[in-house]
Structure formats: C-alpha cells, structure tokens
C-alpha cells in the first residue's frame, strides 16, 4: 500500500456495466475499493467482488455496515470517523464488528482509517452526525490519527466535492508515517494531479458513474 497512488472506489448500490468494470480493473489503478453509504447490501457487495475478482487488481472492502461484511477481499478498510459528534461512529460500531468477527479476523488484512469528513453535503457527513472542522481542527485530527491512535491511514473525505489542495498540503506536512488518502470530486487528470501532488493516494469514485472516460484518465495522470 505504501507504493499506491491511485484507487477507484465502486459503490455497490450503483450500476456499472461489465465493459466499464473490465476497463476500470485493467486501467493500471493500484486497487479497487468497494464501499458506499446508502443501500450497501451483502448481495451488492458480493456481486462486485465476484466481478472484480476476474482481474488481478487488489480488491478491498471499506466496511460501512455489519450486514455486508464478507470474506474474499484482499484487505479490509475500517473507517473511524474522527469528526463525528457521536462516539458510535468513532469506536462503537468498530467494537461491535470486532466482537462479532474476532475469530475470523486476520489482523494483517485489516486497516483502520482515521476518517475526516469535510463536505457537509455528503451523505456520510449527515449519516455519521459529523461537524465541519476548521483547518486547524483537521491538522490536529491528522496528528491524533497518527500519534494518538497510531492509525496507518488518514483519509480526507470530501465525497462529492473537490476539496482544498492547500489544506491537503498542510495535512501532508503534518503526517509522517501515516498515509494520506484524499477522496472527493476528482473528475479529470488536472484535479487528480493537483491532489496527488499533496496526498499519498487519491481515490476516485463518483466520476466513474458520471464521466467514465474522464475518470479513466486520472490513472495515467498520477502514475506517469
Ligand atoms: C468517496 O472519497 C471517495 O468515498 C471519492 O469521492 O465519489 O467524490 O470521487 P468521489
């Protein structure tokens, strides 16, 4: 994961054709994440998993609810929402999941993410009862993710909105070992390159469904 630069995130609640899925998996992206907020079902997750598995690309599940956890992924990402007002989204859901699956868990395949949701119009923002932190808050969350909780990943989640590259840079300057994931509103190679200049890994989601050809070009933009 330390070598990764680009990830596509597929939403199990959205439709993607076999043709597009094949092109996406063979695009040269470093990994494909399956994850979403609304209507994530086990059927939807299993459908994507089996179709992505025809390809060699690493396939990760970003766990959003207990019902859609399934074996078969290369790795599992578990968000801990640092700017939620409710401890439930930071710790309690994760605690319940670990309690249920503790005997099946292979710790080397599980990565906890310090999540900071920065778009107040994102579904995940409302769903997790988050508040909008200011820039200093975000930098302090990055510090906490790395030095207090020792999380391997700090994720700046602007889902659906292009974020602030200056703030991404500030956060990157703060972090040492922890990887900085940036996701939100990347629709073209210029935006991909701008965010990749500061973050370690960029995640492209929605534009897969709204402008597939342009989304595909984000891979080459950051890998070359
Ligand atoms: C969503 O961070 C990802 O969880 C990507 O965001 O859907 O806006 O590309 P977009």
């Amino acid at each position: 994961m330390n070598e990764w630069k680009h990830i596509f995130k597929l939403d199990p609640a959205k439709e993607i054709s076999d043709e597009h899925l094949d092109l996406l998996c063979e695009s040269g992206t470093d990994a494909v994440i399956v994850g979403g907020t609304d209507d994530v079902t086990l059927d939807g997750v299993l459908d994507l998993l089996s179709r992505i598995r025809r390809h060699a690309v690493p396939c990760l599940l970003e766990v959003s609810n207990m019902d859609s956890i399934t074996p078969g992924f290369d790795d599992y990402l578990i968000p801990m929402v640092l700017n939620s007002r409710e401890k439930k989204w930071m710790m309690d859901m994760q605690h319940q999941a670990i309690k249920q699956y503790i005997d099946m868990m292979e710790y080397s395949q599980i990565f906890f993410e310090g999540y900071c949701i920065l778009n107040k119009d994102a579904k995940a923002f409302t769903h997790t009862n988050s508040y909008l932190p200011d820039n200093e808050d975000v930098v302090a969350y990055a510090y906490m993710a790395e030095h207090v909780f020792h999380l391997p990943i700090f994720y700046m989640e602007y889902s659906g909105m292009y974020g602030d590259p200056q703030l991404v840079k500030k956060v990157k300057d703060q972090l040492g070992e922890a990887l900085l994931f940036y996701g939100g509103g990347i629709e073209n190679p210029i935006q991909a390159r701008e965010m990749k200049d500061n973050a370690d890994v960029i995640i492209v989601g929605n534009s897969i469904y709204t402008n597939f050809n342009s989304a595909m070009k984000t891979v080459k933009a950051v890998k070359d």
Side-chain angles (χ1 to χ4, degrees):
M1 203 178 275
N2 284 320
E3 307 298 317
W4 289 358
K5 295 177 177 169
H6 184 285
I7 298 176
F8 279 124
K9 192 187 278 192
L10 289 172
D11 186 337
K14 292 183 182 164
E15 295 285 327
I16 183 165
S17 67
D18 281 337
E19 186 198 349
H20 278 183
L21 191 75
D22 291 348
L23 287 168
L24 182 145
C25 291
E26 298 296 332
S27 64
T29 188
D30 294 301
V32 177
I33 293 177
V34 173
T37 306
D38 280 346
D39 305 319
V40 176
T41 63
L42 183 58
D43 283 349
V45 168
L46 287 172
D47 174 62
L48 274 181
L49 172 65
S50 63
R51 293 165 69 200
I52 298 165
R53 273 284 176 247
R54 295 179 200 146
H55 304 271
V57 67
C59 182
L60 290 78
L61 178 67
E62 189 169 64
V63 176
S64 50
N65 65 52
M66 299 268 279
D67 302 333
S68 54
I69 300 177
T70 174
F73 284 87
D74 293 304
D75 292 309
Y76 295 82
L77 301 170
I78 305 188
M80 299 170 75
V81 184
L82 302 173
N83 62 319
S84 172
R85 292 189 182 90
E86 292 174 49
K87 176 171 158 273
K88 172 182 172 186
W89 300 106
M90 166 68 196
M91 194 179 284
D92 295 348
M93 299 283 284
Q94 298 78 353
H95 174 236
Q96 286 306 310
I98 290 172
K99 190 172 154 192
Q100 185 166 333
Y101 292 102
I102 197 160
D103 294 330
M104 294 165 64
M105 285 171 61
E106 176 52 63
Y107 201 76
S108 62
Q109 291 182 310
I110 299 172
F111 297 87
F112 286 83
E113 306 168 304
Y115 235 70
C116 198
I117 309 179
L118 295 164
N119 173 10
K120 63 178 173 39
D121 296 321
K123 282 181 202 156
F125 185 92
T126 319
H127 186 71
T128 58
N129 193 14
S130 290
Y131 81 98
L132 199 59
D134 66 22
N135 290 2
E136 286 174 3
D137 289 323
V138 177
V139 172
Y141 279 133
Y143 183 96
M144 287 182 78
E146 176 158 32
H147 298 292
V148 180
F149 299 114
H150 303 286
L151 300 174
I153 297 163
F154 183 71
Y155 192 134
M156 294 177 75
E157 172 63 291
Y158 281 92
S159 183
M161 163 190 161
Y162 191 65
D164 174 1
Q166 296 308 318
L167 180 56
V168 179
K169 181 174 172 13
K170 268 192 199 137
V171 169
K172 178 62 191 162
D173 290 344
Q174 175 58 56
L175 292 172
E177 295 284 298
L179 293 177
L180 177 57
F181 280 21
Y182 170 87
I186 295 178
E187 295 179 340
N188 59 53
I190 295 167
Q191 292 173 329
R193 221 171 285 129
E194 182 174 51
M195 285 305 178
K196 179 63 189 79
D197 276 348
N198 300 311
D200 294 302
V201 181
I202 59 158
I203 291 116
V204 177
N206 198 44
S207 61
I208 300 165
Y209 303 96
T210 56
N211 191 343
F212 183 78
N213 291 337
S214 187
M216 287 305 105
K217 291 181 188 154
T218 61
V219 181
K220 205 165 181 295
V222 301
K223 302 279 278 184
D224 281 353

